[in-house]
Protein backbone atom coordinates (compact mmCIF):
# COMPACT_ATOMS: atom_id res chain seq x y z
CA UNK A 1 0.00 0.00 0.00
CA UNK A 2 2.98 2.29 0.48
CA UNK A 3 4.11 4.12 -2.61
CA UNK A 4 7.48 3.53 -4.26
CA UNK A 5 8.56 6.98 -3.11
CA UNK A 6 7.63 6.18 0.48
CA UNK A 7 9.50 2.88 0.31
CA UNK A 8 12.57 4.62 -1.04
CA UNK A 9 12.37 7.23 1.70
CA UNK A 10 12.14 4.49 4.30
CA UNK A 11 15.19 2.81 2.81
CA UNK A 12 17.14 6.06 2.83
CA UNK A 13 16.19 6.57 6.47
CA UNK A 14 17.48 3.12 7.36
CA UNK A 15 20.69 3.77 5.44
CA UNK A 16 21.29 7.22 6.94
CA UNK A 17 20.76 5.94 10.47
CA UNK A 18 23.04 2.95 9.93
CA UNK A 19 25.71 5.11 8.32
CA UNK A 20 25.79 7.52 11.26
CA UNK A 21 25.86 4.72 13.83
CA UNK A 22 28.68 2.83 12.14
CA UNK A 23 30.79 5.94 11.77
CA UNK A 24 30.55 6.21 15.55
CA UNK A 25 31.36 2.51 15.94
CA UNK A 26 34.29 2.65 13.53
CA UNK A 27 35.69 5.73 15.22
CA UNK A 28 35.62 3.83 18.49
CA UNK A 29 34.46 6.85 20.43
CA UNK A 30 31.64 9.21 21.25
CA UNK A 31 28.29 7.83 22.25
CA UNK A 32 29.06 4.18 21.59
CA UNK A 33 32.35 3.48 23.33
CA UNK A 34 34.19 4.21 26.54
CA UNK A 35 37.94 4.81 26.71
CA UNK A 36 38.45 1.15 27.62
CA UNK A 37 36.37 0.10 24.65
CA UNK A 38 38.42 2.33 22.35
CA UNK A 39 41.62 0.68 23.53
CA UNK A 40 40.14 -2.75 22.85
CA UNK A 41 39.03 -1.62 19.38
CA UNK A 42 42.64 -0.77 18.58
CA UNK A 43 43.96 -4.10 19.85
CA UNK A 44 41.29 -6.05 17.97
CA UNK A 45 41.96 -4.16 14.74
CA UNK A 46 45.67 -4.94 15.02
CA UNK A 47 45.14 -8.62 15.72
CA UNK A 48 45.64 -11.39 13.18
CA UNK A 49 42.30 -13.19 12.92
CA UNK A 50 42.24 -16.94 12.47
CA UNK A 51 39.31 -19.07 11.28
CA UNK A 52 37.38 -18.49 14.50
CA UNK A 53 37.99 -14.77 14.96
CA UNK A 54 36.06 -11.93 13.34
CA UNK A 55 36.59 -8.24 13.98
CA UNK A 56 32.93 -7.39 13.35
CA UNK A 57 29.98 -9.80 13.41
CA UNK A 58 26.37 -8.99 12.54
CA UNK A 59 23.88 -11.55 13.83
CA UNK A 60 20.85 -11.52 11.54
CA UNK A 61 20.59 -11.48 7.76
CA UNK A 62 17.72 -9.05 7.28
CA UNK A 63 17.44 -5.62 5.71
CA UNK A 64 19.28 -3.84 8.53
CA UNK A 65 22.26 -6.17 8.06
CA UNK A 66 22.33 -5.40 4.34
CA UNK A 67 22.36 -1.64 4.87
CA UNK A 68 24.95 -2.02 7.62
CA UNK A 69 27.16 -4.03 5.24
CA UNK A 70 26.89 -1.25 2.67
CA UNK A 71 28.05 1.28 5.26
CA UNK A 72 30.91 -0.94 6.42
CA UNK A 73 32.11 -1.09 2.81
CA UNK A 74 31.83 2.68 2.33
CA UNK A 75 33.95 3.29 5.43
CA UNK A 76 36.59 0.69 4.59
CA UNK A 77 35.59 -1.55 7.49
CA UNK A 78 34.39 -4.64 5.61
CA UNK A 79 37.06 -6.42 3.58
CA UNK A 80 38.18 -9.44 5.58
CA UNK A 81 36.81 -7.89 8.77
CA UNK A 82 33.03 -8.37 8.64
CA UNK A 83 30.94 -11.53 9.01
CA UNK A 84 27.14 -11.79 8.76
CA UNK A 85 25.46 -14.78 10.42
CA UNK A 86 22.06 -15.49 8.88
CA UNK A 87 19.34 -18.12 9.16
CA UNK A 88 18.21 -17.43 5.59
CA UNK A 89 19.48 -19.08 2.42
CA UNK A 90 19.91 -15.81 0.50
CA UNK A 91 21.56 -12.41 1.12
CA UNK A 92 19.56 -9.58 2.74
CA UNK A 93 16.58 -8.29 0.76
CA UNK A 94 13.87 -5.63 0.96
CA UNK A 95 11.30 -7.57 2.98
CA UNK A 96 8.20 -5.44 2.14
CA UNK A 97 8.19 -6.93 -1.38
CA UNK A 98 7.08 -10.28 0.06
CA UNK A 99 3.52 -9.06 0.70
CA UNK A 100 3.33 -6.93 -2.44
CA UNK A 101 4.76 -7.82 -5.84
CA UNK A 102 5.98 -11.25 -4.73
CA UNK A 103 2.38 -12.45 -4.34
CA UNK A 104 1.25 -11.44 -7.84
CA UNK A 105 -0.06 -14.28 -10.04
CA UNK A 106 2.35 -15.49 -12.76
CA UNK A 107 0.71 -13.52 -15.57
CA UNK A 108 1.36 -10.25 -13.70
CA UNK A 109 5.13 -10.79 -13.55
CA UNK A 110 5.64 -11.20 -9.79
CA UNK A 111 8.73 -9.85 -8.07
CA UNK A 112 11.50 -12.39 -7.53
CA UNK A 113 15.04 -12.34 -6.23
CA UNK A 114 17.58 -11.07 -7.10
CA UNK A 115 15.32 -8.17 -8.10
CA UNK A 116 14.81 -6.77 -4.60
CA UNK A 117 18.00 -7.49 -2.70
CA UNK A 118 19.09 -4.71 -0.37
CA UNK A 119 19.71 -1.79 -1.12
CA UNK A 120 17.35 -1.23 -4.07
CA UNK A 121 14.73 0.20 -1.70
CA UNK A 122 16.81 3.36 -1.38
CA UNK A 123 17.92 3.44 -5.01
CA UNK A 124 21.23 1.83 -4.10
CA UNK A 125 23.18 -1.06 -5.56
CA UNK A 126 21.60 -4.51 -5.63
CA UNK A 127 23.70 -6.48 -3.16
CA UNK A 128 23.69 -10.06 -4.44
CA UNK A 129 25.81 -12.88 -3.04
CA UNK A 130 28.54 -11.85 -5.49
CA UNK A 131 28.57 -8.31 -4.05
CA UNK A 132 29.36 -9.65 -0.58
CA UNK A 133 32.15 -11.85 -1.96
CA UNK A 134 33.63 -9.01 -4.00
CA UNK A 135 33.73 -6.81 -0.90
CA UNK A 136 35.35 -9.45 1.30
CA UNK A 137 32.29 -9.97 3.52
CA UNK A 138 31.75 -13.46 4.88
CA UNK A 139 28.09 -14.53 5.03
CA UNK A 140 27.11 -17.71 6.85
CA UNK A 141 23.82 -18.80 5.27
CA UNK A 142 21.25 -21.03 7.01
CA UNK A 143 23.43 -21.14 10.12
CA UNK A 144 21.75 -19.08 12.88
CA UNK A 145 23.35 -18.38 16.24
CA UNK A 146 22.32 -20.85 18.93
CA UNK A 147 24.56 -19.84 21.83
CA UNK A 148 26.16 -16.60 22.98
CA UNK A 149 28.80 -15.85 25.63
CA UNK A 150 29.32 -12.14 26.22
CA UNK A 151 32.23 -12.61 28.61
CA UNK A 152 34.38 -14.56 26.15
CA UNK A 153 32.87 -12.73 23.15
CA UNK A 154 31.98 -15.94 21.36
CA UNK A 155 29.03 -17.21 19.33
CA UNK A 156 28.06 -20.75 18.41
CA UNK A 157 26.00 -21.41 15.28
CA UNK A 158 23.59 -24.25 14.57
CA UNK A 159 26.26 -26.07 12.54
CA UNK A 160 28.60 -26.00 15.54
CA UNK A 161 30.81 -23.22 14.18
CA UNK A 162 32.47 -21.09 16.88
CA UNK A 163 33.00 -17.38 16.17
CA UNK A 164 34.96 -15.00 18.37
CA UNK A 165 34.04 -11.38 17.72
CA UNK A 166 35.65 -8.03 18.39
CA UNK A 167 32.39 -6.07 18.06
CA UNK A 168 28.92 -7.57 17.74
CA UNK A 169 25.76 -6.05 16.24
CA UNK A 170 22.52 -7.85 17.07
CA UNK A 171 20.18 -7.37 14.13
CA UNK A 172 17.88 -10.36 14.43
CA UNK A 173 14.66 -8.52 13.61
CA UNK A 174 11.26 -10.02 14.31
CA UNK A 175 9.27 -13.19 13.82
CA UNK A 176 5.62 -13.30 12.82
CA UNK A 177 3.24 -13.63 15.75
CA UNK A 178 1.48 -16.99 15.50
CA UNK A 179 -1.84 -18.42 16.57
CA UNK A 180 -1.50 -21.16 19.22
CA UNK A 181 -1.11 -24.69 17.91
CA UNK A 182 -4.01 -25.87 20.09
CA UNK A 183 -6.48 -23.70 18.15
CA UNK A 184 -5.16 -24.75 14.74
CA UNK A 185 -2.37 -22.22 14.26
CA UNK A 186 -0.07 -24.82 12.69
CA UNK A 187 -2.57 -26.61 10.43
CA UNK A 188 -1.60 -27.22 6.79
CA UNK A 189 -2.89 -24.30 4.77
CA UNK A 190 -2.27 -21.75 7.55
CA UNK A 191 0.40 -19.25 6.53
CA UNK A 192 2.58 -16.60 8.16
CA UNK A 193 4.82 -14.29 6.14
CA UNK A 194 8.26 -13.21 7.25
CA UNK A 195 10.76 -14.56 4.73
CA UNK A 196 11.06 -15.80 1.15
CA UNK A 197 10.32 -19.40 2.12
CA UNK A 198 7.06 -18.27 3.75
CA UNK A 199 6.10 -16.29 0.65
CA UNK A 200 6.91 -19.21 -1.67
CA UNK A 201 4.69 -21.49 0.40
CA UNK A 202 1.84 -18.97 0.26
CA UNK A 203 2.16 -18.49 -3.51
CA UNK A 204 1.90 -22.26 -3.93
CA UNK A 205 -1.32 -22.27 -1.88
CA UNK A 206 -2.81 -19.28 -3.70
CA UNK A 207 -2.42 -21.12 -6.98
CA UNK A 208 -4.75 -23.87 -5.71
CA UNK A 209 -7.00 -21.91 -3.33
CA UNK A 210 -10.67 -21.03 -3.78
CA UNK A 211 -11.60 -19.39 -0.48
CA UNK A 212 -9.10 -17.58 1.70
CA UNK A 213 -9.40 -15.99 5.11
CA UNK A 214 -7.03 -13.23 6.18
CA UNK A 215 -6.75 -12.76 9.94
CA UNK A 216 -5.70 -9.22 10.81
CA UNK A 217 -6.60 -5.81 9.42
CA UNK A 218 -3.13 -4.25 9.41
CA UNK A 219 -0.52 -3.85 6.67
CA UNK A 220 0.09 -7.57 6.18
CA UNK A 221 -3.58 -8.45 6.07
CA UNK A 222 -4.52 -5.67 3.66
CA UNK A 223 -1.61 -6.31 1.31
CA UNK A 224 -2.23 -10.05 1.18
CA UNK A 225 -5.93 -9.45 0.56
CA UNK A 226 -5.06 -7.10 -2.30
CA UNK A 227 -2.83 -9.80 -3.78
CA UNK A 228 -5.62 -12.38 -3.43
CA UNK A 229 -7.84 -10.14 -5.56
CA UNK A 230 -5.29 -10.55 -8.34
CA UNK A 231 -5.84 -14.31 -8.14
CA UNK A 232 -9.66 -13.81 -8.26
CA UNK A 233 -10.15 -15.60 -4.95
CA UNK A 234 -13.08 -15.45 -2.54
CA UNK A 235 -11.44 -13.35 0.20
CA UNK A 236 -12.59 -12.51 3.73
CA UNK A 237 -10.67 -10.35 6.21
CA UNK A 238 -11.36 -10.91 9.92
CA UNK A 239 -10.14 -8.52 12.62
CA UNK A 240 -11.21 -7.39 16.12
CA UNK A 241 -11.19 -3.62 15.56
CA UNK A 242 -13.93 -1.35 14.21
CA UNK A 243 -12.05 -0.60 10.99
CA UNK A 244 -8.86 -1.51 9.14
CA UNK A 245 -5.48 -0.04 10.08
CA UNK A 246 -6.74 1.45 13.38
CA UNK A 247 -3.32 2.68 14.50
CA UNK A 248 -2.81 4.62 11.28
CA UNK A 249 -6.16 5.35 9.61
CA UNK A 250 -8.96 7.55 10.85
CA UNK A 251 -12.43 5.97 10.53
CA UNK A 252 -13.22 8.11 7.48
CA UNK A 253 -9.99 7.20 5.69
CA UNK A 254 -10.42 3.53 6.58
CA UNK A 255 -13.93 3.61 5.12
CA UNK A 256 -12.62 4.77 1.73
CA UNK A 257 -10.15 1.88 1.57
CA UNK A 258 -12.71 -0.63 2.79
CA UNK A 259 -15.09 0.48 0.04
CA UNK A 260 -12.32 0.06 -2.54
CA UNK A 261 -11.62 -3.47 -1.34
CA UNK A 262 -15.33 -4.32 -1.29
CA UNK A 263 -15.63 -3.13 -4.89
CA UNK A 264 -13.05 -5.80 -5.69
CA UNK A 265 -15.00 -8.53 -3.92
CA UNK A 266 -13.31 -8.55 -0.50
CA UNK A 267 -15.57 -9.16 2.52
CA UNK A 268 -14.91 -7.77 6.00
CA UNK A 269 -15.81 -9.31 9.35
CA UNK A 270 -15.15 -6.56 11.90
CA UNK A 271 -15.06 -6.71 15.68
CA UNK A 272 -14.52 -10.47 15.56
CA UNK A 273 -12.15 -12.79 17.41
CA UNK A 274 -10.92 -16.20 16.28
CA UNK A 275 -11.93 -19.10 18.51
CA UNK A 276 -10.18 -21.78 16.48
CA UNK A 277 -9.29 -22.99 13.00
CA UNK A 278 -10.91 -26.28 12.01
CA UNK A 279 -9.43 -28.96 9.76
CA UNK A 280 -11.22 -30.95 7.09
CA UNK A 281 -11.05 -34.70 6.53
CA UNK A 282 -7.71 -34.26 4.74
CA UNK A 283 -6.19 -32.53 7.77
CA UNK A 284 -5.94 -29.18 5.99
CA UNK A 285 -7.60 -26.04 7.34
CA UNK A 286 -11.23 -25.84 6.24
CA UNK A 287 -12.77 -23.00 8.25
CA UNK A 288 -12.31 -20.28 10.84
CA UNK A 289 -14.61 -20.48 13.86
CA UNK A 290 -15.31 -17.13 15.54
CA UNK A 291 -15.95 -16.51 19.23
CA UNK A 292 -19.63 -15.84 18.51
CA UNK A 293 -19.94 -19.25 16.84
CA UNK A 294 -19.90 -17.98 13.26
CA UNK A 295 -18.11 -20.11 10.69
CA UNK A 296 -16.14 -18.73 7.73
CA UNK A 297 -15.09 -21.38 5.21
CA UNK A 298 -11.52 -21.30 3.93
CA UNK A 299 -9.02 -23.62 2.29
CA UNK A 300 -6.18 -21.15 2.92
CA UNK A 301 -5.65 -18.87 5.92
CA UNK A 302 -3.10 -16.06 6.19
CA UNK A 303 -2.35 -14.75 9.68
CA UNK A 304 -1.11 -11.17 9.97
CA UNK A 305 -1.45 -10.26 13.64
CA UNK A 306 1.86 -8.56 14.29
CA UNK A 307 5.39 -9.61 15.15
CA UNK A 308 7.64 -10.19 18.12
CA UNK A 309 11.40 -9.61 18.51
CA UNK A 310 13.65 -12.56 17.66
CA UNK A 311 16.16 -12.33 20.49
CA UNK A 312 16.96 -15.93 21.37
CA UNK A 313 19.65 -16.85 22.47
CA UNK A 314 20.36 -13.35 23.80
CA UNK A 315 17.47 -13.32 26.29
CA UNK A 316 19.51 -15.32 28.78
CA UNK A 317 22.06 -12.51 29.14
CA UNK A 318 19.71 -9.60 29.61
CA UNK A 319 18.05 -8.58 26.36
CA UNK A 320 14.74 -7.14 27.53
CA UNK A 321 11.72 -7.31 25.26
CA UNK A 322 9.46 -4.29 25.47
CA UNK A 323 6.30 -3.50 23.52
CA UNK A 324 7.58 -2.36 20.14
CA UNK A 325 10.94 -4.10 20.15
CA UNK A 326 14.18 -4.85 21.95
CA UNK A 327 15.09 -2.57 24.83
CA UNK A 328 18.73 -3.12 25.83
CA UNK A 329 21.51 -5.45 26.91
CA UNK A 330 22.87 -5.65 30.43
CA UNK A 331 25.40 -2.80 30.85
CA UNK A 332 28.44 -5.00 31.56
CA UNK A 333 28.59 -6.35 28.00
CA UNK A 334 30.94 -4.11 26.06
CA UNK A 335 31.29 -4.16 22.28
CA UNK A 336 27.72 -5.44 21.82
CA UNK A 337 25.26 -3.19 20.03
CA UNK A 338 21.60 -3.54 19.17
CA UNK A 339 20.48 -2.30 15.77
CA UNK A 340 17.36 -0.81 17.38
CA UNK A 341 19.45 1.20 19.84
CA UNK A 342 21.81 2.45 17.13
CA UNK A 343 18.79 3.84 15.31
CA UNK A 344 17.40 5.38 18.49
CA UNK A 345 20.74 7.10 19.14
CA UNK A 346 20.84 8.42 15.59
CA UNK A 347 17.33 9.81 15.97
CA UNK A 348 18.30 11.48 19.26
CA UNK A 349 21.44 12.91 17.67
CA UNK A 350 19.44 14.22 14.71
CA UNK A 351 16.79 15.82 16.94
CA UNK A 352 19.46 17.59 18.98
CA UNK A 353 21.08 18.92 15.82
CA UNK A 354 17.73 20.19 14.60
CA UNK A 355 17.05 21.90 17.93
CA UNK A 356 20.49 23.50 18.12
Amino acid sequence: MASAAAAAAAGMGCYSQTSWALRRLGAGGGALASAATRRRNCSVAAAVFDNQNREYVIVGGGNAAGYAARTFVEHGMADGRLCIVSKEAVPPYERPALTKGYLFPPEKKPARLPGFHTCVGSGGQRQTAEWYKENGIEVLYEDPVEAFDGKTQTLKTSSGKILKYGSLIISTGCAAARLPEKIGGDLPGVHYIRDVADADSLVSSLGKAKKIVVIGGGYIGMEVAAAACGWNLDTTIIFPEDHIMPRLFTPSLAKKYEELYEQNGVKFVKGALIDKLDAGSDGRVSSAILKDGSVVEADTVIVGIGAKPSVSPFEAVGVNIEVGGIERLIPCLEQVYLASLLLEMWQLFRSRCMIE
Side-chain angles (χ1 to χ4, degrees):
M1 295 173 67
S3 67
M12 283 301 293
C14 177
Y15 169 61
S16 299
Q17 295 164 1
T18 307
S19 178
W20 176 85
L22 288 181
R23 283 199 298 272
R24 307 297 288 170
L25 174 62
L32 291 181
S34 63
T37 301
R38 290 197 295 274
R39 287 194 295 273
R40 184 158 62 184
N41 270 348
C42 294
S43 64
V44 168
V48 177
F49 290 90
D50 60 25
N51 288 335
Q52 288 188 334
N53 295 341
R54 306 294 186 277
E55 187 171 354
Y56 303 110
V57 173
I58 300 175
V59 177
N63 212 21
Y67 278 92
R70 166 177 164 176
T71 306
F72 269 99
V73 170
E74 291 178 345
H75 292 279
M77 299 164 62
D79 194 359
R81 302 166 69 185
L82 174 63
C83 175
I84 298 174
V85 185
S86 175
K87 69 176 183 179
E88 297 209 43
V90 295
Y93 51 86
E94 307 282 354
R95 206 172 295 276
L98 298 180
T99 52
K100 298 180 176 68
Y102 204 92
L103 299 183
F104 287 176
E107 65 271 16
K108 294 188 177 180
K109 298 182 179 179
R112 290 292 182 269
L113 291 173
F116 55 95
H117 277 301
T118 307
C119 300
V120 297
S122 63
Q125 186 176 0
R126 184 180 292 111
Q127 296 171 192
T128 62
E130 289 70 27
W131 181 90
Y132 290 89
K133 291 179 182 178
E134 290 169 0
N135 286 283
I137 300 171
E138 179 184 18
V139 183
L140 303 182
Y141 297 106
E142 298 182 283
D143 199 12
V145 169
E146 287 193 345
F148 163 69
D149 188 330
K151 293 182 179 179
T152 61
Q153 295 183 228
T154 57
L155 304 166
K156 182 180 179 180
T157 69
S158 61
S159 70
K161 192 177 188 68
I162 303 297
L163 300 175
K164 186 171 179 62
Y165 62 84
S167 295
L168 175 67
I169 297 176
I170 300 175
S171 180
T172 45
C174 294
R178 303 176 69 90
L179 294 178
E181 181 180 0
K182 65 181 180 181
I183 68 167
D186 291 339
L187 286 174
V190 177
H191 295 270
Y192 305 85
I193 303 182
R194 188 61 193 170
D195 56 33
V196 167
D198 294 336
D200 284 338
S201 177
L202 177 55
V203 168
S204 177
S205 286
L206 290 176
K208 298 173 285 188
K210 294 182 179 179
K211 293 184 177 182
I212 76 166
V213 160
V214 178
I215 300 175
Y219 270 118
I220 299 298
M222 299 307 294
E223 289 175 351
V224 171
C229 290
W231 292 80
N232 296 315
L233 300 176
D234 183 325
T235 304
T236 302
I237 306 176
I238 302 171
F239 52 91
E241 297 86 6
D242 294 330
H243 60 78
I244 62 169
M245 307 285 287
R247 289 184 293 179
L248 183 64
F249 287 177
T250 62
S252 59
L253 180 58
K255 183 178 179 181
K256 292 183 181 297
Y257 277 94
E258 289 171 2
E259 289 174 349
L260 175 62
Y261 274 74
E262 288 170 341
Q263 290 168 13
N264 285 275
V266 176
K267 297 181 286 292
F268 292 96
V269 180
K270 305 176 185 179
L273 295 172
I274 299 294
D275 184 51
K276 64 177 180 177
L277 301 178
D278 258 356
S281 58
D282 60 355
R284 185 180 176 87
V285 67
S286 62
S287 62
I289 313 298
L290 308 185
K291 290 288 187 180
D292 65 4
S294 302
V295 178
V296 182
E297 293 183 353
D299 51 43
T300 299
V301 172
I302 300 95
V303 181
I305 55 174
K308 57 183 180 180
S310 297
V311 295
S312 178
F314 302 101
E315 285 178 290
V317 292
V319 174
N320 299 319
I321 302 176
E322 296 290 316
V323 175
I326 299 173
E327 183 187 16
R328 61 185 174 84
L329 277 174
I330 53 177
C332 65
L333 293 179
E334 294 183 340
Q335 295 301 91
V336 178
Y337 308 103
L338 297 176
S340 59
L341 285 186
L342 294 178
L343 301 188
E344 287 173 12
M345 293 177 68
W346 181 87
Q347 290 165 349
L348 176 61
F349 172 80
R350 183 177 65 170
S351 66
R352 286 178 176 173
C353 289
M354 292 173 67
I355 292 171
E356 294 171 358

